[in-house]
Short mmCIF file of all heavy atoms in Angstrom, two decimals:
data_model
loop_
_atom_site.label_atom_id
_atom_site.label_comp_id
_atom_site.label_asym_id
_atom_site.label_seq_id
_atom_site.Cartn_x
_atom_site.Cartn_y
_atom_site.Cartn_z
N MET A 200 181.42 -171.51 235.46
CA MET A 200 181.81 -170.19 235.89
C MET A 200 180.58 -169.49 236.44
O MET A 200 179.56 -169.41 235.79
CB MET A 200 182.38 -169.43 234.68
CG MET A 200 183.10 -168.19 235.08
SD MET A 200 183.65 -167.19 233.68
CE MET A 200 185.01 -168.10 233.08
N SER A 201 180.68 -168.96 237.63
CA SER A 201 179.54 -168.30 238.23
C SER A 201 179.38 -166.88 237.67
O SER A 201 180.29 -166.33 237.05
CB SER A 201 179.69 -168.24 239.75
OG SER A 201 180.71 -167.34 240.08
N GLU A 202 178.24 -166.30 237.92
CA GLU A 202 177.93 -164.97 237.40
C GLU A 202 178.88 -163.92 237.97
O GLU A 202 179.23 -162.96 237.29
CB GLU A 202 176.48 -164.61 237.74
CG GLU A 202 176.01 -163.32 237.13
CD GLU A 202 175.97 -163.35 235.61
OE1 GLU A 202 175.75 -164.42 235.04
OE2 GLU A 202 176.17 -162.28 235.00
N SER A 203 179.33 -164.06 239.21
CA SER A 203 180.22 -163.07 239.82
C SER A 203 181.63 -163.11 239.24
O SER A 203 182.38 -162.16 239.36
CB SER A 203 180.27 -163.26 241.32
OG SER A 203 180.85 -164.52 241.62
N GLU A 204 182.03 -164.22 238.60
CA GLU A 204 183.37 -164.36 238.05
C GLU A 204 183.47 -163.83 236.62
O GLU A 204 184.55 -163.69 236.10
CB GLU A 204 183.80 -165.82 238.06
CG GLU A 204 184.01 -166.38 239.44
CD GLU A 204 184.40 -167.84 239.39
OE1 GLU A 204 184.69 -168.35 238.30
OE2 GLU A 204 184.41 -168.47 240.45
N ARG A 205 182.36 -163.54 235.98
CA ARG A 205 182.38 -163.08 234.59
C ARG A 205 182.55 -161.58 234.49
O ARG A 205 182.23 -160.84 235.41
CB ARG A 205 181.08 -163.47 233.91
CG ARG A 205 180.91 -164.97 233.82
CD ARG A 205 179.77 -165.30 232.97
NE ARG A 205 179.95 -164.68 231.65
CZ ARG A 205 179.25 -164.99 230.60
NH1 ARG A 205 178.32 -165.88 230.69
NH2 ARG A 205 179.46 -164.41 229.46
N GLN A 206 183.06 -161.13 233.35
CA GLN A 206 183.13 -159.70 233.09
C GLN A 206 181.72 -159.17 232.84
O GLN A 206 180.87 -159.88 232.31
CB GLN A 206 183.97 -159.41 231.86
CG GLN A 206 185.46 -159.53 232.08
CD GLN A 206 186.20 -159.16 230.83
OE1 GLN A 206 186.10 -159.86 229.84
NE2 GLN A 206 186.95 -158.08 230.88
N ARG A 207 181.50 -157.93 233.25
CA ARG A 207 180.21 -157.30 233.01
C ARG A 207 180.42 -156.00 232.25
O ARG A 207 181.47 -155.38 232.35
CB ARG A 207 179.52 -156.99 234.34
CG ARG A 207 179.13 -158.20 235.14
CD ARG A 207 178.35 -157.80 236.39
NE ARG A 207 178.71 -156.52 236.94
CZ ARG A 207 179.52 -156.34 237.99
NH1 ARG A 207 180.02 -157.37 238.60
NH2 ARG A 207 179.79 -155.14 238.44
N VAL A 208 179.43 -155.57 231.52
CA VAL A 208 179.45 -154.28 230.86
C VAL A 208 178.92 -153.26 231.84
O VAL A 208 177.86 -153.42 232.41
CB VAL A 208 178.59 -154.31 229.58
CG1 VAL A 208 178.54 -152.93 228.94
CG2 VAL A 208 179.10 -155.35 228.60
N VAL A 209 179.70 -152.19 232.05
CA VAL A 209 179.33 -151.16 233.01
C VAL A 209 179.14 -149.86 232.26
O VAL A 209 179.96 -149.47 231.44
CB VAL A 209 180.44 -150.99 234.09
CG1 VAL A 209 180.07 -149.91 235.07
CG2 VAL A 209 180.68 -152.30 234.80
N ARG A 210 178.06 -149.19 232.54
CA ARG A 210 177.77 -147.91 231.92
C ARG A 210 178.63 -146.81 232.56
O ARG A 210 178.75 -146.76 233.77
CB ARG A 210 176.30 -147.61 232.13
CG ARG A 210 175.68 -146.90 231.04
CD ARG A 210 174.22 -146.65 231.34
NE ARG A 210 173.81 -145.70 230.36
CZ ARG A 210 173.03 -145.99 229.33
NH1 ARG A 210 172.51 -147.18 229.24
NH2 ARG A 210 172.75 -145.09 228.44
N VAL A 211 179.22 -145.94 231.74
CA VAL A 211 180.03 -144.83 232.25
C VAL A 211 179.19 -143.57 232.17
O VAL A 211 178.80 -143.16 231.08
CB VAL A 211 181.32 -144.68 231.41
CG1 VAL A 211 182.14 -143.51 231.91
CG2 VAL A 211 182.13 -145.96 231.44
N PRO A 212 178.90 -142.94 233.31
CA PRO A 212 178.08 -141.72 233.29
C PRO A 212 178.75 -140.61 232.48
O PRO A 212 179.94 -140.37 232.59
CB PRO A 212 177.99 -141.32 234.76
CG PRO A 212 178.39 -142.52 235.53
CD PRO A 212 179.27 -143.32 234.66
N GLY A 213 177.96 -139.93 231.65
CA GLY A 213 178.47 -138.83 230.85
C GLY A 213 179.26 -139.25 229.63
O GLY A 213 179.92 -138.44 229.01
N SER A 214 179.24 -140.53 229.28
CA SER A 214 179.99 -141.02 228.14
C SER A 214 179.10 -141.88 227.27
O SER A 214 178.15 -142.50 227.74
CB SER A 214 181.19 -141.86 228.62
OG SER A 214 181.89 -142.39 227.52
N ARG A 215 179.40 -141.90 225.99
CA ARG A 215 178.62 -142.74 225.07
C ARG A 215 179.10 -144.18 225.08
O ARG A 215 178.45 -145.06 224.57
CB ARG A 215 178.74 -142.20 223.65
CG ARG A 215 178.05 -140.86 223.49
CD ARG A 215 178.24 -140.31 222.13
NE ARG A 215 177.90 -141.29 221.11
CZ ARG A 215 177.62 -141.02 219.86
NH1 ARG A 215 177.64 -139.78 219.45
NH2 ARG A 215 177.32 -141.97 219.01
N ARG A 216 180.29 -144.41 225.64
CA ARG A 216 180.86 -145.75 225.64
C ARG A 216 180.66 -146.45 226.98
O ARG A 216 180.59 -145.81 228.02
CB ARG A 216 182.35 -145.68 225.34
CG ARG A 216 182.62 -145.19 223.96
CD ARG A 216 184.07 -145.24 223.67
NE ARG A 216 184.30 -144.81 222.31
CZ ARG A 216 185.05 -145.47 221.47
NH1 ARG A 216 185.68 -146.55 221.83
NH2 ARG A 216 185.20 -145.03 220.26
N ALA A 217 180.63 -147.72 226.91
CA ALA A 217 180.58 -148.54 228.12
C ALA A 217 181.96 -149.17 228.31
O ALA A 217 182.81 -149.10 227.43
CB ALA A 217 179.52 -149.62 227.98
N ARG A 218 182.20 -149.75 229.46
CA ARG A 218 183.47 -150.43 229.68
C ARG A 218 183.21 -151.78 230.32
O ARG A 218 182.13 -152.03 230.87
CB ARG A 218 184.40 -149.59 230.54
CG ARG A 218 183.91 -149.38 231.95
CD ARG A 218 184.94 -148.60 232.76
NE ARG A 218 184.45 -148.36 234.09
CZ ARG A 218 184.58 -149.21 235.11
NH1 ARG A 218 185.20 -150.34 234.93
NH2 ARG A 218 184.09 -148.92 236.29
N LEU A 219 184.19 -152.64 230.26
CA LEU A 219 184.09 -153.96 230.86
C LEU A 219 184.77 -153.95 232.23
O LEU A 219 185.75 -153.23 232.45
CB LEU A 219 184.78 -155.01 229.99
CG LEU A 219 184.10 -155.38 228.70
CD1 LEU A 219 185.01 -156.30 227.89
CD2 LEU A 219 182.79 -156.08 228.97
N THR A 220 184.26 -154.74 233.13
CA THR A 220 184.93 -154.91 234.41
C THR A 220 186.18 -155.76 234.16
O THR A 220 186.26 -156.45 233.14
CB THR A 220 184.01 -155.62 235.43
OG1 THR A 220 183.61 -156.87 234.87
CG2 THR A 220 182.81 -154.77 235.76
N PRO A 221 187.19 -155.70 235.02
CA PRO A 221 188.40 -156.49 234.80
C PRO A 221 188.10 -157.99 234.73
O PRO A 221 187.22 -158.49 235.42
CB PRO A 221 189.26 -156.17 236.01
CG PRO A 221 188.74 -154.89 236.54
CD PRO A 221 187.29 -154.87 236.21
N ALA A 222 188.82 -158.68 233.88
CA ALA A 222 188.65 -160.13 233.75
C ALA A 222 189.15 -160.81 235.02
O ALA A 222 190.08 -160.33 235.67
CB ALA A 222 189.43 -160.64 232.55
N PRO A 223 188.54 -161.93 235.39
CA PRO A 223 188.98 -162.63 236.60
C PRO A 223 190.42 -163.11 236.47
O PRO A 223 190.84 -163.57 235.42
CB PRO A 223 188.03 -163.81 236.72
CG PRO A 223 187.08 -163.72 235.60
CD PRO A 223 187.43 -162.57 234.75
N GLY A 224 191.18 -162.92 237.53
CA GLY A 224 192.56 -163.39 237.54
C GLY A 224 193.54 -162.44 236.88
O GLY A 224 194.70 -162.80 236.67
N THR A 225 193.12 -161.22 236.53
CA THR A 225 194.03 -160.27 235.92
C THR A 225 194.25 -159.08 236.84
O THR A 225 193.47 -158.84 237.76
CB THR A 225 193.48 -159.74 234.58
OG1 THR A 225 192.23 -159.08 234.82
CG2 THR A 225 193.27 -160.85 233.58
N ASP A 226 195.29 -158.33 236.58
CA ASP A 226 195.60 -157.12 237.34
C ASP A 226 195.03 -155.93 236.58
O ASP A 226 195.48 -155.62 235.48
CB ASP A 226 197.10 -156.99 237.50
CG ASP A 226 197.50 -155.80 238.34
OD1 ASP A 226 196.63 -155.24 239.03
OD2 ASP A 226 198.69 -155.45 238.33
N PRO A 227 194.02 -155.23 237.13
CA PRO A 227 193.40 -154.13 236.39
C PRO A 227 194.28 -152.88 236.32
O PRO A 227 194.04 -152.02 235.50
CB PRO A 227 192.13 -153.85 237.18
CG PRO A 227 192.42 -154.33 238.55
CD PRO A 227 193.37 -155.49 238.40
N GLU A 228 195.31 -152.78 237.15
CA GLU A 228 196.18 -151.61 237.14
C GLU A 228 197.33 -151.83 236.15
O GLU A 228 198.02 -152.84 236.21
CB GLU A 228 196.76 -151.37 238.54
CG GLU A 228 195.72 -151.04 239.57
CD GLU A 228 195.00 -149.73 239.29
OE1 GLU A 228 195.67 -148.78 238.83
OE2 GLU A 228 193.79 -149.68 239.51
N PRO A 229 197.56 -150.88 235.25
CA PRO A 229 198.69 -151.03 234.32
C PRO A 229 200.02 -150.84 235.04
O PRO A 229 200.06 -150.31 236.15
CB PRO A 229 198.45 -149.91 233.30
CG PRO A 229 197.66 -148.90 234.05
CD PRO A 229 196.81 -149.67 235.03
N GLU A 230 201.09 -151.25 234.39
CA GLU A 230 202.41 -151.07 234.98
C GLU A 230 202.73 -149.58 235.05
O GLU A 230 202.35 -148.81 234.18
CB GLU A 230 203.47 -151.77 234.14
CG GLU A 230 203.36 -153.27 234.20
CD GLU A 230 204.48 -153.93 233.44
OE1 GLU A 230 205.54 -153.31 233.24
OE2 GLU A 230 204.28 -155.07 233.04
N SER A 231 203.43 -149.19 236.09
CA SER A 231 203.76 -147.78 236.26
C SER A 231 204.87 -147.40 235.28
O SER A 231 205.72 -148.22 234.95
CB SER A 231 204.20 -147.51 237.69
OG SER A 231 205.42 -148.17 237.94
N PRO A 232 204.90 -146.15 234.84
CA PRO A 232 205.96 -145.71 233.93
C PRO A 232 207.34 -145.82 234.56
O PRO A 232 208.32 -145.98 233.86
CB PRO A 232 205.61 -144.25 233.64
CG PRO A 232 204.17 -144.11 233.98
CD PRO A 232 203.89 -145.13 235.03
N ALA A 233 207.44 -145.73 235.89
CA ALA A 233 208.74 -145.83 236.55
C ALA A 233 209.37 -147.20 236.31
O ALA A 233 210.57 -147.31 236.06
CB ALA A 233 208.59 -145.57 238.04
N SER A 234 208.58 -148.26 236.37
CA SER A 234 209.14 -149.59 236.15
C SER A 234 209.55 -149.78 234.70
O SER A 234 210.52 -150.46 234.40
CB SER A 234 208.15 -150.68 236.56
OG SER A 234 207.02 -150.65 235.72
N GLN A 235 208.86 -149.14 233.77
CA GLN A 235 209.24 -149.23 232.36
C GLN A 235 210.51 -148.44 232.10
O GLN A 235 211.36 -148.86 231.33
CB GLN A 235 208.11 -148.72 231.48
CG GLN A 235 206.90 -149.62 231.50
CD GLN A 235 205.74 -149.02 230.72
OE1 GLN A 235 205.81 -147.90 230.24
NE2 GLN A 235 204.66 -149.76 230.60
N SER A 236 210.68 -147.28 232.76
CA SER A 236 211.87 -146.48 232.53
C SER A 236 213.10 -147.17 233.11
O SER A 236 214.21 -146.99 232.61
CB SER A 236 211.70 -145.08 233.12
OG SER A 236 211.59 -145.15 234.52
N ASP A 237 212.93 -147.95 234.18
CA ASP A 237 214.05 -148.70 234.73
C ASP A 237 214.55 -149.71 233.72
O ASP A 237 215.76 -149.91 233.56
CB ASP A 237 213.66 -149.41 236.02
CG ASP A 237 213.38 -148.43 237.16
OD1 ASP A 237 213.82 -147.27 237.05
OD2 ASP A 237 212.71 -148.84 238.13
N GLU A 238 213.64 -150.36 233.01
CA GLU A 238 214.02 -151.33 231.99
C GLU A 238 214.72 -150.63 230.84
O GLU A 238 215.68 -151.13 230.28
CB GLU A 238 212.81 -152.09 231.49
CG GLU A 238 212.17 -152.98 232.53
CD GLU A 238 210.84 -153.54 232.07
OE1 GLU A 238 210.48 -153.32 230.91
OE2 GLU A 238 210.17 -154.19 232.88
N GLN A 239 214.26 -149.45 230.46
CA GLN A 239 214.88 -148.71 229.37
C GLN A 239 216.24 -148.19 229.78
O GLN A 239 217.13 -148.04 228.96
CB GLN A 239 213.97 -147.55 228.94
CG GLN A 239 212.71 -148.02 228.26
CD GLN A 239 211.75 -146.86 227.98
OE1 GLN A 239 211.99 -145.75 228.41
NE2 GLN A 239 210.69 -147.16 227.28
N GLY A 240 216.41 -147.89 231.05
CA GLY A 240 217.70 -147.42 231.54
C GLY A 240 218.78 -148.46 231.35
O GLY A 240 219.92 -148.14 231.05
N ALA A 241 218.45 -149.72 231.51
CA ALA A 241 219.42 -150.79 231.28
C ALA A 241 219.80 -150.85 229.81
O ALA A 241 220.95 -151.12 229.47
CB ALA A 241 218.85 -152.12 231.74
N ASP A 242 218.85 -150.58 228.91
CA ASP A 242 219.14 -150.59 227.48
C ASP A 242 219.97 -149.38 227.08
O ASP A 242 220.75 -149.44 226.14
CB ASP A 242 217.85 -150.61 226.67
CG ASP A 242 217.10 -151.92 226.82
OD1 ASP A 242 217.74 -152.92 227.20
OD2 ASP A 242 215.89 -151.94 226.56
N ALA A 243 219.79 -148.25 227.76
CA ALA A 243 220.51 -147.03 227.42
C ALA A 243 222.01 -147.19 227.64
O ALA A 243 222.80 -146.62 226.92
CB ALA A 243 219.97 -145.85 228.23
N ALA A 244 222.40 -147.97 228.63
CA ALA A 244 223.82 -148.19 228.89
C ALA A 244 224.45 -148.99 227.77
O ALA A 244 225.63 -148.83 227.46
CB ALA A 244 223.99 -148.90 230.22
N ALA A 245 223.70 -149.85 227.10
CA ALA A 245 224.22 -150.69 226.03
C ALA A 245 223.95 -150.10 224.65
O ALA A 245 224.14 -150.76 223.66
CB ALA A 245 223.61 -152.08 226.13
N SER A 246 223.51 -148.82 224.59
CA SER A 246 223.16 -148.23 223.30
C SER A 246 224.39 -147.65 222.62
O SER A 246 225.42 -147.39 223.24
CB SER A 246 222.10 -147.16 223.49
OG SER A 246 222.63 -146.11 224.26
N GLY A 247 224.25 -147.41 221.32
CA GLY A 247 225.33 -146.85 220.53
C GLY A 247 225.30 -145.34 220.51
O GLY A 247 224.41 -144.70 221.10
N PRO A 248 226.25 -144.71 219.81
CA PRO A 248 226.35 -143.24 219.82
C PRO A 248 225.21 -142.53 219.08
O PRO A 248 224.92 -141.38 219.38
CB PRO A 248 227.69 -142.97 219.13
CG PRO A 248 227.96 -144.19 218.32
CD PRO A 248 227.32 -145.33 219.05
N ASN A 249 224.53 -143.19 218.16
CA ASN A 249 223.48 -142.54 217.38
C ASN A 249 222.07 -142.88 217.85
O ASN A 249 221.11 -142.39 217.27
CB ASN A 249 223.59 -142.93 215.90
CG ASN A 249 224.86 -142.40 215.28
OD1 ASN A 249 225.34 -141.35 215.68
ND2 ASN A 249 225.39 -143.12 214.32
N ASP A 250 221.94 -143.67 218.89
CA ASP A 250 220.61 -144.12 219.32
C ASP A 250 219.72 -142.97 219.77
O ASP A 250 218.54 -142.92 219.43
CB ASP A 250 220.72 -145.16 220.43
CG ASP A 250 221.22 -146.49 219.91
OD1 ASP A 250 221.28 -146.66 218.67
OD2 ASP A 250 221.55 -147.36 220.73
N GLU A 251 220.26 -142.02 220.52
CA GLU A 251 219.44 -140.90 221.00
C GLU A 251 218.95 -140.04 219.83
O GLU A 251 217.80 -139.63 219.80
CB GLU A 251 220.23 -140.05 221.99
CG GLU A 251 219.42 -138.97 222.64
CD GLU A 251 218.22 -139.51 223.41
OE1 GLU A 251 218.32 -140.58 224.04
OE2 GLU A 251 217.17 -138.84 223.39
N ARG A 252 219.83 -139.79 218.85
CA ARG A 252 219.42 -139.00 217.69
C ARG A 252 218.35 -139.74 216.89
O ARG A 252 217.38 -139.14 216.42
CB ARG A 252 220.62 -138.73 216.78
CG ARG A 252 220.27 -137.89 215.57
CD ARG A 252 221.46 -137.64 214.67
NE ARG A 252 222.05 -138.85 214.16
CZ ARG A 252 221.64 -139.49 213.06
NH1 ARG A 252 220.63 -139.03 212.39
NH2 ARG A 252 222.24 -140.59 212.66
N MET A 253 218.46 -141.05 216.76
CA MET A 253 217.47 -141.84 216.02
C MET A 253 216.12 -141.83 216.73
O MET A 253 215.08 -141.84 216.09
CB MET A 253 217.96 -143.28 215.84
CG MET A 253 219.19 -143.39 214.97
SD MET A 253 218.91 -142.80 213.31
CE MET A 253 217.91 -144.09 212.66
N ARG A 254 216.11 -141.78 218.05
CA ARG A 254 214.84 -141.72 218.79
C ARG A 254 214.16 -140.37 218.61
O ARG A 254 212.95 -140.27 218.63
CB ARG A 254 215.08 -141.98 220.27
CG ARG A 254 215.40 -143.42 220.58
CD ARG A 254 215.45 -143.67 222.08
NE ARG A 254 215.94 -145.00 222.34
CZ ARG A 254 217.18 -145.29 222.75
NH1 ARG A 254 218.05 -144.33 222.95
NH2 ARG A 254 217.56 -146.52 222.94
N ARG A 255 214.94 -139.29 218.45
CA ARG A 255 214.38 -137.96 218.28
C ARG A 255 213.90 -137.70 216.85
O ARG A 255 213.01 -136.89 216.64
CB ARG A 255 215.42 -136.89 218.65
CG ARG A 255 215.65 -136.76 220.13
CD ARG A 255 216.47 -135.51 220.43
NE ARG A 255 217.60 -135.31 219.54
CZ ARG A 255 218.86 -135.66 219.79
NH1 ARG A 255 219.17 -136.22 220.92
NH2 ARG A 255 219.81 -135.41 218.91
N ASP A 256 214.54 -138.35 215.87
CA ASP A 256 214.18 -138.12 214.47
C ASP A 256 212.76 -138.59 214.18
O ASP A 256 212.33 -139.61 214.70
CB ASP A 256 215.14 -138.85 213.53
CG ASP A 256 216.49 -138.16 213.43
OD1 ASP A 256 216.59 -137.02 213.91
OD2 ASP A 256 217.41 -138.78 212.88
N VAL A 257 212.07 -137.84 213.37
CA VAL A 257 210.73 -138.22 212.95
C VAL A 257 210.70 -138.31 211.43
O VAL A 257 211.44 -137.61 210.75
CB VAL A 257 209.67 -137.21 213.43
CG1 VAL A 257 209.57 -137.22 214.94
CG2 VAL A 257 209.98 -135.82 212.95
N PRO A 258 209.88 -139.18 210.87
CA PRO A 258 209.82 -139.30 209.42
C PRO A 258 209.18 -138.06 208.81
O PRO A 258 208.40 -137.37 209.46
CB PRO A 258 208.94 -140.54 209.20
CG PRO A 258 208.15 -140.66 210.42
CD PRO A 258 209.00 -140.13 211.54
N PRO A 259 209.49 -137.77 207.54
CA PRO A 259 208.86 -136.61 206.89
C PRO A 259 207.38 -136.86 206.67
O PRO A 259 206.92 -138.00 206.55
CB PRO A 259 209.60 -136.51 205.56
CG PRO A 259 210.13 -137.88 205.32
CD PRO A 259 210.41 -138.47 206.67
N HIS A 260 206.62 -135.78 206.63
CA HIS A 260 205.18 -135.88 206.39
C HIS A 260 204.92 -135.55 204.94
O HIS A 260 205.36 -134.52 204.43
CB HIS A 260 204.42 -134.94 207.31
CG HIS A 260 204.53 -135.32 208.72
ND1 HIS A 260 205.54 -134.88 209.55
CD2 HIS A 260 203.77 -136.14 209.48
CE1 HIS A 260 205.40 -135.40 210.74
NE2 HIS A 260 204.34 -136.17 210.73
N TYR A 261 204.22 -136.40 204.28
CA TYR A 261 203.93 -136.20 202.86
C TYR A 261 202.58 -135.57 202.66
O TYR A 261 201.68 -135.77 203.35
CB TYR A 261 204.00 -137.52 202.11
CG TYR A 261 205.39 -138.10 202.13
CD1 TYR A 261 205.74 -139.12 203.01
CD2 TYR A 261 206.37 -137.60 201.28
CE1 TYR A 261 207.02 -139.63 203.02
CE2 TYR A 261 207.64 -138.12 201.29
CZ TYR A 261 207.97 -139.14 202.16
OH TYR A 261 209.22 -139.64 202.18
#
């Protein structure tokens, strides 16, 4: 593997953390929320009557 194909640590100005360059052969851009909502839309058609209420409910805080 040549040096140009490896991930490198890159300094981020104004931050205490560094980041890695994208790994070779990967897509550095995450999937858009629109494509994820399309997949969820297909599930919504097959959902039951209580699914929306269950998604809104939150557990109690102790």
